Amino acid sequence: MQPVVCHHNILPNKLTPNPMNHLHRPAKSDTLVPKLIFLLLASSLIASMSFSACHQVGDSVSGAIQDGQKSSQVVQTKHDANSQVVLADIQTLMDYEWVLVKAQKQGADIQTLSSVINQKQSILRFDEQNISYSLGCNTYAGDYQLTQGKLTLGAMMSTQMFCDDLSNIENKFHQRLQNSVLTVAKDTHGETATLTQTDGVEILTWQGKLTPTAKFGDPVLLFWEIQPQTVYCVDKQGHNQQCLQVRNVHYDELGIKTGAGAWRNFYGQIEGYQHDSSLRQIIRIKAFNHPKPHHEPVYLFDMAVETELVK
């Protein structure tokens, strides 16, 4: 029987902190000091990667949940003939994760953004009240307003890592966003979209990918501990693989760890997770039911809750 993901209680703010609490107003640069055991925010700038591993779906969802319960004239760019360019609305902005793919001024490429575009290291996200972005180094976040496509930013805060020339580009990027006019065009099926950011003769183009929540609905949060070493296994199609060993971790309402389930092999993919055999980790995963029958759930890496360096 195809398992159904059921919701369970999300841990309190002790383990699910507001990312805004970990952002600082950009002033002087700080350096990051690595620690053996540390808490990380996913902030959501993780590169999209997939890790193929081994685990039966019935165990992965059902079992895991049982174990742990600037105003300007809009300049339109070229789009697909079947798409319609309209002023952006909040819901559409929220439904996609945006990556910068083109930046031009008076038809010429903006050279300071060329490396960001070529490396595809930017990310732009919206929720109902907040906006966050990164060009590959720091994360900037703050509130915003959208009025007939015009974007107005409030106070912005950021992490404070120093990344040579990129830091200066990031510090000034909010000026490009401020008071720009946003238009959007979705593809025929809505899986992708193009966001055009216009400020006079400067036009930035973002490519959007539909978020899992917009595609599949609200997720279940799971906490899995992952062993550093993988093991040999054979999946249900008879293919040989190196598999992750995982177990569910339990927390109480105060975010204190109370126990863990049994170790098991994991079949499937955890999108956004990259395994490191030198680390023992507890990670938070978003699990989504697939809308199509007989499809495995979709697992998305959310954040590392605990990371320990092992010998």
Side-chain angles (χ1 to χ4, degrees), residues 32 119 148 151 158 210 263-264 283 297 306:
L32 297 180
Q119 297 178 32
Q148 294 182 339
L151 180 65
S158 77
L210 199 63
W263 289 105
R264 62 184 184 271
I283 66 174
E306 184 175 309

Side-chain angles (χ1 to χ4, degrees), residues 70-77 85 87 148-150 179-183 196-204:
K70 200 166 228 162
S71 175
S72 61
Q73 183 178 357
V74 176
V75 180
Q76 295 185 355
T77 56
V85 179
L87 291 174
Q148 294 182 339
K150 180 180 177 181
N179 296 326
S180 60
V181 175
L182 306 180
T183 58
T196 304
Q197 171 192 331
T198 305
D199 184 4
V201 295
E202 182 173 287
I203 301 174
L204 272 61

Side-chain angles (χ1 to χ4, degrees), residues 5-6 12 30 48 51 56 69 82 102 121 126 140 153 162 175 203 207 230 235 244 267:
V5 173
C6 303
D30 295 337
S48 294
F51 186 88
Q56 295 291 349
Q69 287 249 48
N82 294 324
K102 184 188 293 186
Q121 57 190 9
F126 295 84
Y140 289 74
L153 302 182
F162 179 71
Q175 298 174 11
I203 301 174
Q207 188 68 41
T230 58
D235 65 17
L244 291 178
Y267 288 101

